[in-house]
Amino acid sequence: MKGSSSPQHAQNPAPSGDGGQRSGRPGVSSPTASTGSATTGATPAPTVKPGKGPSGTGSRMALRNWRISTRLVSLLALPVVAATSLGALRIDQNINDIQQLDNMKLLTDMTKQATELAAALQEERDQSAGPLSHGLSANDYTVKGYEEKTDRARENFLNASEQIDSASKDGNLQGVRDALVGLANQLDDLAKIRKTAYKSQGNSTQTIESYHRLITQLISLSQDMAEASSNPEMISRTRALAAFSTAKEYASVQRATIAAALPATNTTKGDLSENDRLYGQSAYQSENSEIAIFRKIYASNNAEELLKPIDEGNPTIESADTYAKRVFDSRDGIQTLNARSYKDWVDDSSTKIEQMKKIEHTLLEDMEQKARELKSATQQDAIISGALILLVLGVSLVGAFIVARSMIRSLRRLQETATKVAQDRLPELVKQLSESDPQDVDTSVESVGVHSRDEIGQVAAAFDDVHREAVRLAAEQALLRGNVNAMFTNLSRRSQGLIQRQLSLISELESREADPDQLSSLFKLDHLATRMRRNGENLLVLAGEEPGRRWTRPVPLVDVLRAAASEVEQYERIELASVPTTEVAGRVVNDLVHLLAELLENATSFSSPQTKVKVTGHALPDGRVLIEIHDTGIGLSPEDLAAINERLASPPTVDVSVSRRMGLFVVGRLSQRHGIRIQLRPSDSGGTTALVMLPVDVAQGGK
């Protein structure tokens, strides 16, 4: 090794040329060049020239000089009052009423279906009580016919409930929908009720009560529907219907209870258990109670006239009521009466229930008619209110337009000028200040041009002040950056001169030293000095300076890679493999060596000392060259990789944070200077892979 200045000199021969660089380290400027700009000085901050002040504001009474608050009150007072008082209170209420009345149409139809299903269940229960209690099966044609009729009514009811389900999607009928879902589930128990209907001797109450629960749920459905409407009239009519339908149900319960106790013929007397008697007595009393409730609720709608068919004048109804009362009043009441068959009883008691059905139907029709009348009246009110509001708003808008136009003109001019300043003038001025001497840049500020005495004019004047202050700060910042860059350049040039002399001295000592231990120590000093030199070059990059001298001839890529490796402390861990025989343009050699040395330094620093850092190159068909640097370190998280790649693609402005990741910033700056693309990726074998893509004009010797 005698005569060799360092081990990397022997292993990595430096490219030869006229660049004046030290062997093995292309890209280092000479001491003379380093100190040539050491005297760069700072210049004083320029003075921002003020723009023209506002002029020609006109009379204080001019419309354009009104205060913003006065204009806004004039502009918005009448429309807001009109829209709030008439629109919000009347139209919104009318629309809500119309929506609710539309829903009431659905609810009324649903109530009809529920009423028909309840009537079918009552007929099935009452008509089958006698036959099933005296030995006939459920397959008897009489019982079967009523069951089929009920099934059809249930199917119609479930089909109608689908419309409620669709209408409840806006949230208005959610409570009714939930009630329908629960009722549909209960109707599934009908088959079980039929299977055991009237099987228990002397306990017809069990079957009657099972039917009664379903029918009560159907009747109470109208109460849920009443809650979906806020109209008092519709709520009252719905409650009246529910009360009357409940009374009809209790009348039907009495019919079924007595029919189950009577024989098939009128030759013997019936047998009514005490439990069934008490149940029937309760139904009799509840019927009268519900009729009284109906009279009270519907008193204003001529309830007495409706109840006449069942209250007076019909001997069959009076006879059936008297018979039921006497049966339920005492334990042996049915035994004290004349013998009769369940068929005779059902026929007589059905007269009253049929009349009650007609009254129930009348109540439903009255509900529908009332809903139509309310909807028509509400629509008419909404039309009248809307027309009045349109008239008031029309007059208001005409006056508001005149007032607003004066504001809009000034605001539009202010907005357009502010946008132009923010997007064009100020960025262009800042760019000029950063690229040239601030003293040579025209820093005068053009006024917005809005010269009124109102708040808009004051905002325009304030914007002019802000614009001038922004220009002044930009000029000061540009000057500060120039001074900092000059400081970086001075420090770097001075340090490089000293380090270059130190390297020359170390090389001379290496060439004279024969002791391997001493030579090893000199090699370490050589590398430390080399790293110090690269840090000095980093300052030049931060300052935006380029190398003082460049290679004029292309240099083989392998020599560039070896030169970069020679600047790394752990150079012996770097392994070059399959490097293409391409040449790097001379103007890029210095920066590329610097860039690759930073990446190799990272790779060796953040991986195990026992591992190798592998460097490969690939010539692509389009003339570009891809250099890959693989290490087997701990790797980086996806978030860190994304952040580093973003910094490499768009190096940030020089600030304090750059000092903590100077190598990363320098690599990004150097790659941008020559169009080199750099990206970090996770390695398949662990660690990180740095990809360096050399463009054609760099990888093909500048051709």
Side-chain angles (χ1 to χ4, degrees):
M1 295 293 293
K2 186 176 181 180
S4 175
S5 62
S6 65
Q8 62 266 41
H9 298 163
Q11 297 174 13
N12 307 328
S16 59
D18 55 356
Q21 286 82 359
R22 180 169 179 257
S23 176
R25 298 177 178 87
V28 180
S29 302
S30 64
T32 303
S34 300
T35 59
S37 59
T39 60
T40 303
T43 56
T47 302
V48 179
K49 302 174 184 177
K52 295 181 178 179
S55 61
T57 56
S59 172
R60 180 176 294 275
M61 297 303 296
L63 187 58
R64 64 174 184 169
N65 291 327
W66 285 13
R67 295 181 59 83
I68 290 292
S69 58
T70 305
R71 294 190 197 180
L72 290 178
V73 170
S74 301
L75 177 66
L76 300 177
L78 187 57
V80 167
V81 171
T84 302
S85 61
L86 297 177
L89 296 179
R90 292 296 299 272
I91 293 182
D92 186 64
Q93 183 61 43
N94 290 338
I95 291 175
N96 289 336
D97 290 344
I98 291 173
Q99 179 63 43
Q100 288 185 355
L101 291 170
D102 285 337
N103 291 336
M104 279 304 301
K105 177 65 171 61
L106 289 175
L107 297 177
T108 304
D109 293 341
M110 196 70 237
T111 303
K112 269 189 173 182
Q113 298 296 333
T115 302
E116 291 179 3
L117 177 57
L121 287 169
Q122 290 168 349
E123 286 294 319
E124 177 184 329
R125 175 189 61 192
D126 301 353
Q127 296 291 348
S128 62
L132 293 180
S133 297
H134 294 84
L136 291 181
S137 67
N139 293 325
D140 182 74
Y141 74 93
T142 304
V143 177
K144 198 70 175 177
Y146 287 108
E147 290 181 352
E148 291 174 353
K149 183 178 179 181
T150 301
D151 291 339
R152 288 192 297 270
R154 180 175 64 173
E155 186 68 23
N156 294 336
F157 174 79
L158 294 177
N159 291 338
S161 66
E162 293 180 359
Q163 297 181 7
I164 299 293
D165 182 65
S166 301
S168 66
K169 291 181 179 178
D170 59 0
N172 290 330
L173 300 178
Q174 189 62 39
V176 177
R177 178 191 176 279
D178 294 340
L180 285 173
V181 171
L183 184 55
N185 293 332
Q186 293 185 34
L187 288 174
D188 292 338
D189 296 335
L190 185 58
K192 186 187 299 184
I193 296 173
R194 289 170 173 173
K195 187 176 181 180
T196 59
Y198 301 105
K199 296 295 184 184
S200 179
Q201 292 293 331
N203 190 18
S204 62
T205 301
Q206 181 179 2
T207 300
I208 295 172
E209 179 62 23
S210 297
Y211 277 98
H212 176 69
R213 283 194 295 269
L214 290 179
I215 295 169
T216 301
Q217 289 294 324
L218 288 168
I219 294 172
S220 64
L221 186 62
S222 61
Q223 297 281 20
D224 296 332
M225 294 178 180
E227 295 177 1
S229 171
S230 61
N231 186 276
E233 181 71 17
M234 294 302 298
I235 292 175
S236 174
R237 289 175 180 270
T238 306
R239 289 177 177 173
L241 173 65
F244 189 82
S245 297
T246 303
K248 182 168 74 74
E249 162 60 11
Y250 284 123
S252 176
V253 167
Q254 299 170 54
R255 180 173 65 173
T257 303
I258 296 176
L262 292 175
T265 63
N266 55 7
T267 57
T268 59
K269 295 185 178 182
D271 184 15
L272 182 66
S273 68
E274 181 63 14
N275 182 61
D276 289 351
R277 184 189 73 82
L278 293 175
Y279 185 75
Q281 187 181 45
S282 175
Y284 183 86
Q285 295 170 353
S286 297
E287 177 192 354
N288 294 329
S289 176
E290 293 297 330
I291 290 294
I293 293 173
F294 170 75
R295 292 178 188 273
K296 184 177 180 180
I297 296 175
Y298 215 65
S300 60
N301 293 287
N302 201 8
E304 296 299 330
E305 187 68 23
L306 280 174
L307 294 176
K308 274 186 179 181
I310 60 174
D311 281 348
E312 57 186 41
N314 193 317
T316 303
I317 294 177
E318 293 177 356
S319 174
D321 285 345
T322 302
Y323 183 83
K325 184 176 185 307
R326 294 179 63 184
V327 167
F328 295 134
D329 275 350
S330 61
R331 286 178 176 270
D332 55 352
I334 197 171
Q335 297 292 331
T336 62
L337 299 174
N338 295 330
R340 67 189 303 179
S341 66
Y342 65 79
K343 294 181 180 178
D344 294 339
W345 160 248
V346 169
D347 290 343
D348 291 346
S349 59
S350 295
T351 302
K352 178 180 179 180
I353 294 177
E354 289 298 323
Q355 290 296 332
M356 296 182 80
K357 283 183 181 180
K358 294 178 180 179
I359 297 173
E360 191 176 52
H361 183 71
T362 300
L363 292 174
L364 282 170
E365 288 184 341
D366 289 346
M367 282 179 58
E368 287 183 327
Q369 179 63 27
K370 188 62 179 179
R372 286 192 293 268
E373 292 175 358
L374 289 173
K375 182 177 179 180
S376 177
T378 304
Q379 287 176 336
Q380 186 175 2
D381 289 344
I383 293 173
I384 294 174
S385 299
L388 289 174
I389 290 173
L390 288 177
L391 178 61
V392 173
L393 286 179
V395 174
S396 303
L397 290 176
V398 171
F401 174 76
I402 298 174
V403 177
R405 185 169 57 178
S406 66
M407 296 177 60
I408 291 173
R409 288 176 177 174
S410 298
L411 288 173
R412 184 174 296 150
R413 184 168 185 178
L414 176 59
Q415 183 266 335
E416 291 175 352
T417 305
T419 301
K420 189 174 182 180
V421 167
Q423 296 181 356
D424 299 326
R425 294 180 188 172
L426 193 57
E428 181 64 27
L429 183 60
V430 172
K431 182 179 179 182
Q432 292 176 9
L433 289 171
S434 63
E435 293 178 351
S436 58
D437 189 346
Q439 295 288 350
D440 299 332
V441 178
D442 181 12
T443 56
S444 61
V445 174
E446 182 181 350
S447 175
V448 172
V450 178
H451 307 307
S452 57
R453 294 180 179 176
D454 63 354
E455 285 85 347
I456 299 178
Q458 295 173 13
V459 170
F463 180 79
D464 290 339
D465 293 339
V466 171
H467 188 186
R468 283 190 289 271
E469 185 65 16
V471 172
R472 186 186 66 80
L473 291 175
E476 289 184 356
Q477 187 181 30
L479 178 61
L480 178 61
R481 280 200 302 268
N483 291 338
V484 171
N485 289 343
M487 180 177 62
F488 282 171
T489 302
N490 288 336
L491 291 175
S492 176
R493 299 297 188 194
R494 292 176 184 274
S495 297
Q496 279 191 317
L498 295 174
I499 294 171
Q500 190 67 28
R501 292 168 58 188
Q502 183 181 9
L503 285 172
S504 299
L505 179 58
I506 292 173
S507 296
E508 184 178 350
L509 292 175
E510 288 173 350
S511 64
R512 296 176 183 177
E513 185 61 55
D515 185 355
D517 293 336
Q518 294 295 331
L519 191 59
S520 176
S521 298
L522 290 173
F523 288 162
K524 292 180 180 178
L525 286 175
D526 188 306
H527 281 290
L528 288 175
T530 302
R531 293 178 65 187
M532 291 171 62
R533 181 186 64 187
R534 197 166 71 244
N535 283 338
E537 293 173 350
N538 286 345
L539 292 178
L540 286 178
V541 176
L542 292 180
E545 296 288 334
E546 296 192 9
R549 301 182 65 185
R550 296 183 177 181
W551 293 76
T552 58
R553 293 184 300 170
V555 177
L557 178 60
V558 65
D559 289 346
V560 174
L561 292 173
R562 287 172 178 169
S566 70
E567 297 196 1
V568 178
E569 181 178 4
Q570 304 178 52
Y571 68 91
E572 69 279 356
R573 292 176 50 205
I574 299 173
E575 177 182 313
L576 301 182
S578 65
V579 179
T581 58
T582 185
E583 293 185 335
V584 178
R587 60 182 174 81
V588 188
V589 170
N590 294 338
D591 288 342
L592 184 58
V593 169
H594 192 165
L595 183 153
L596 293 173
E598 292 289 349
L599 294 175
L600 291 171
E601 189 77 53
N602 263 355
T604 56
S605 298
F606 296 100
S607 60
S608 174
Q610 290 77 31
T611 61
K612 293 286 187 180
V613 174
K614 188 175 181 180
V615 182
T616 60
H618 308 281
L620 303 181
D622 59 1
R624 295 180 298 169
V625 171
L626 176 64
I627 301 172
E628 300 183 14
I629 301 174
H630 304 272
D631 68 62
T632 55
I634 60 175
L636 294 168
S637 66
E639 294 79 10
D640 288 340
L641 276 176
I644 290 174
N645 285 328
E646 176 66 23
R647 284 176 141 323
L648 289 173
S650 302
T653 304
V654 178
D655 55 17
V656 178
S657 64
V658 169
S659 63
R660 294 191 291 269
R661 289 190 175 183
M662 185 180 296
L664 182 66
F665 179 84
V666 168
V667 169
R669 275 283 181 92
L670 293 176
S671 64
Q672 273 199 336
R673 183 180 292 176
H674 302 291
I676 299 172
R677 293 177 56 192
I678 300 178
Q679 189 175 43
L680 301 186
R681 293 182 182 176
S683 179
D684 295 337
S685 58
T688 305
T689 298
L691 304 178
V692 181
M693 180 69 74
L694 304 182
V696 176
D697 61 335
V698 172
Q700 300 301 321
K703 299 178 183 179

